Amino acid sequence: AGILRQCEVKILERGDGYEVIERKVLKKESVTRDPAVVAREDIEKIGKFWVSLVRKDLPKHQKNFISYYRKQLQDSKKFAEYCQREVKYRGMRSLKLMKAAPMRIRKLARDMVIFWKKVDREQADLRKKEEKE
């Protein structure tokens, strides 16, 4: 479509305002290349590819790997710190609970005494009302 090719043109018939032509596309002559030359060119291409890979891609991937490794180290350090804080916090909390336990027990006992006195008083009032009736 967009490729220009050389053609051999043969005019078959000419008339008044027209021509009949025959076109033949010229065949390319197949060039047989020496296999040693082809192998050498392939090796050179592979060498160029490896050089470009080592110069461009390898440093980029090394940089990415190092940044990933550093981020992983930072994250693990943060996680370890948070674990230490949590363990410390839970230990402090249990100590606080143990220190506050006697006061809570006293308060609970006081509340229980008040509750049972109130219940006894209500029962005594009920008995008095029943005796009166």
Side-chain angles (χ1 to χ4, degrees):
I3 300 171
L4 295 175
R5 297 184 188 170
Q6 277 190 328
C7 297
E8 182 182 319
V9 179
K10 186 177 179 184
I11 299 172
L12 298 176
E13 183 183 335
R14 277 190 182 181
D16 192 24
Y18 72 92
E19 287 181 343
V20 176
I21 59 171
E22 180 183 341
R23 286 188 186 157
K24 285 186 182 176
V25 177
L26 295 176
K27 293 183 179 179
K28 291 184 182 178
E29 293 179 19
S30 61
V31 179
T32 55
R33 297 173 63 197
D34 186 21
V37 173
V38 172
R40 193 176 334 113
E41 288 176 356
D42 288 346
I43 290 171
E44 287 174 3
K45 283 181 184 178
I46 291 170
K48 287 180 184 177
F49 179 76
W50 274 104
V51 166
S52 72
L53 198 94
V54 168
R55 283 190 184 151
K56 294 177 184 173
D57 294 340
L58 204 62
K60 182 171 65 174
H61 290 292
Q62 172 71 8
K63 185 178 164 186
N64 289 344
F65 175 77
I66 288 173
S67 66
Y68 169 76
Y69 181 72
R70 284 183 183 154
K71 182 163 179 8
Q72 200 174 19
L73 276 177
Q74 286 175 348
D75 291 347
S76 59
K77 284 179 184 176
K78 281 182 186 176
F79 187 73
E81 283 179 17
Y82 290 143
C83 288
Q84 286 175 347
R85 284 183 192 168
E86 187 65 25
V87 167
K88 196 177 200 180
Y89 171 72
R90 289 189 182 195
M92 297 276 287
R93 193 173 65 187
S94 67
L95 284 175
K96 283 182 183 177
L97 289 175
M98 289 181 65
K99 284 181 183 177
M103 291 190 327
R104 283 199 320 259
I105 290 172
R106 278 190 225 116
K107 184 176 187 263
L108 190 62
R110 203 177 318 125
D111 290 346
M112 261 178 30
V113 168
I114 291 171
F115 173 76
W116 286 115
K117 279 185 182 178
K118 182 180 173 184
V119 168
D120 289 342
R121 196 179 311 125
E122 288 175 358
Q123 285 179 354
D125 289 344
L126 282 174
R127 268 191 252 128
K128 284 181 183 177
K129 283 183 182 177
E130 287 177 4
E131 286 175 8
K132 286 182 180 179
E133 291 175 2

